[in-house]
Amino acid sequence: MESDISQAFQKELTCFICLSCLTDPVTISCGHSFCRACLQLSWEDFQPPVQCPMCREQYWKELRTNIVLKKLVTIVRQASLMKDLSSEAHKCVTHKDTKRIFCADNRLFLCQLCSNSHDHRGHRHCPIEAAAEDQMNRLLKQMASLWEMVQENQENLEAENRMKILWMDYLTFREEMIRTEYRKLHPLLCEEEEKHIESMRNEGQCILEKLRTREAMMVQKRKELREMYQELMAMSQEPYLVLLQGLDDIFRRSESMQLSMPQPIKTELNALPITGLTESSKQFQGECLH
């Protein structure tokens, strides 16, 4: 009976998407709960409303932390940690006592007597349970920060796609304006007209290539950010003992990746020395780009 209850309890704390214990559990409008990261990755390429992975009911991308489930998950993780620490492998060889103290300076598990020794007396110590929770919270904050960058990059990529289309339309409009102005003001200057158009096309094509290059950079950045997020997500599902071994390297890589975000470029042609053309083109550009 007790085993059946334990299994049922464990099932309720299992994410339907990743099939692991819930991490940062959130609940959607239909009542079902999942890992926050699992849901975010599942609907990244879909516009709202999206469907619940379990019942297929539509919902908007509004996620609320399930406080009760979060506390239950913490209890289960802490119990698993205590079980791991009670094994012979985690007993102090010198004092034969369970290692329940975490040394933050050396990232070591210590028994009470070792923590008071000369080697560790001046170091930062805390109970392993508290250290594990702190490390998990630190990891979840890093994931939240990275996800904001994922969203920002996606918005910039969409803006870049729109800009590329508008820029091609703008170049077509600009060419038409050049021809109109030349034929109205200088009907015999055909050669100058073609040179002017060629110059405009070259400049416009140069900017278009920059837009395409920037777009490719954003696509690559999206791939890198997503892979980094998945790596953090996988780490968040590890036992507390694994988290306490150190996340400094993965944090450094995540933070470094967020510092080098591609930004949209400014699109602008040089002013043209034809009366009426500059103002007309500026008006068109303003209507398109805003």
Side-chain angles (χ1 to χ4, degrees):
M1 180 67 177
E2 185 177 343
S3 176
D4 292 340
I5 293 175
S6 178
Q7 289 180 4
F9 185 69
Q10 190 64 45
K11 181 180 178 182
E12 293 304 315
L13 297 181
T14 300
C15 175
F16 179 79
I17 299 175
C18 67
L19 303 180
S20 298
C21 185
L22 288 164
T23 300
D24 195 12
V26 293
T27 302
I28 55 179
S29 58
C30 62
H32 290 121
S33 300
F34 309 89
C35 302
R36 182 185 298 273
C38 288
L39 268 186
Q40 287 174 330
L41 288 173
S42 72
W43 45 244
E44 184 183 6
D45 297 324
F46 296 95
Q47 294 299 318
V50 289
Q51 292 183 334
C52 168
M54 290 186 70
C55 66
R56 299 302 173 186
E57 181 179 317
Q58 288 189 333
Y59 71 97
W60 293 86
K61 297 178 181 180
E62 296 178 0
L63 306 180
R64 291 186 176 181
T65 297
N66 190 313
I67 298 174
V68 174
L69 278 181
K70 191 171 184 177
K71 288 181 178 178
L72 291 175
V73 167
T74 299
I75 292 171
V76 170
R77 285 182 177 271
Q78 292 283 11
S80 178
L81 174 62
M82 291 299 101
K83 183 179 179 180
D84 290 338
L85 292 176
S86 65
S87 67
E88 288 296 322
H90 285 279
K91 282 192 175 182
C92 176
V93 177
T94 304
H95 303 105
K96 308 301 180 184
D97 193 10
T98 301
K99 300 176 182 179
R100 294 184 178 277
I101 306 296
F102 182 71
C103 175
D105 293 87
N106 297 130
R107 309 208 72 82
L108 293 175
F109 304 130
L110 307 171
C111 72
Q112 186 65 52
L113 291 173
C114 285
S115 69
N116 294 326
S117 68
H118 176 75
D119 292 338
H120 298 283
R121 192 174 299 160
H123 295 171
R124 293 169 296 153
H125 298 150
C126 67
I128 288 181
E129 307 95 289
E133 279 302 304
D134 180 66
Q135 192 78 320
M136 174 60 84
N137 290 332
R138 200 176 152 214
L139 178 57
L140 293 179
K141 286 181 181 178
Q142 187 67 22
M143 290 175 66
S145 174
L146 185 62
W147 186 253
E148 287 183 7
M149 294 297 101
V150 170
Q151 298 302 101
E152 178 186 327
N153 184 74
Q154 182 61 31
E155 290 171 4
N156 288 343
L157 179 58
E158 292 170 0
E160 203 78 0
N161 282 328
R162 292 192 298 270
M163 178 64 73
K164 188 174 61 175
I165 295 171
L166 289 171
W167 183 251
M168 289 187 288
D169 290 342
Y170 174 61
L171 292 178
T172 300
F173 165 80
R174 191 83 178 236
E175 182 173 337
E176 292 174 354
M177 288 298 300
I178 290 173
R179 293 190 184 281
T180 299
E181 293 294 326
Y182 262 102
R183 288 166 188 172
K184 182 170 60 177
L185 303 174
H186 310 281
L188 301 178
L189 299 179
C190 296
E191 184 176 347
E192 285 78 359
E193 175 186 338
E194 293 304 320
K195 286 181 179 179
H196 204 147
I197 289 175
E198 183 180 1
S199 176
M200 185 274 298
R201 284 176 179 172
N202 291 338
E203 187 180 358
Q205 188 63 33
C206 180
I207 293 176
L208 188 58
E209 287 302 316
K210 288 181 180 179
L211 287 171
R212 288 169 176 161
T213 300
R214 183 67 60 172
E215 180 185 5
M217 290 174 62
M218 289 180 180
V219 169
Q220 178 62 27
K221 177 58 70 170
R222 177 176 62 181
K223 179 175 178 292
E224 293 172 357
L225 289 169
R226 202 174 191 278
E227 289 175 351
M228 186 77 252
Y229 190 73
Q230 289 175 315
E231 189 175 344
L232 289 173
M233 182 178 73
M235 185 59 70
S236 72
Q237 296 168 340
E238 293 286 352
Y240 276 165
L241 281 179
V242 176
L243 296 187
L244 286 171
Q245 296 304 314
L247 299 175
D248 291 342
D249 175 64
I250 194 171
F251 283 165
R252 276 194 297 268
R253 289 188 288 115
S254 175
E255 289 164 1
S256 174
M257 187 174 294
Q258 295 177 57
L259 292 175
S260 55
M261 294 290 291
Q263 298 298 323
I265 64 172
K266 184 179 180 180
T267 54
E268 186 177 30
L269 290 175
N270 292 328
L272 299 176
I274 305 178
T275 305
L277 177 58
T278 302
E279 290 303 318
S280 298
S281 61
K282 279 184 178 179
Q283 182 180 358
F284 176 86
Q285 190 176 29
E287 292 173 355
C288 285
L289 305 186
H290 298 288

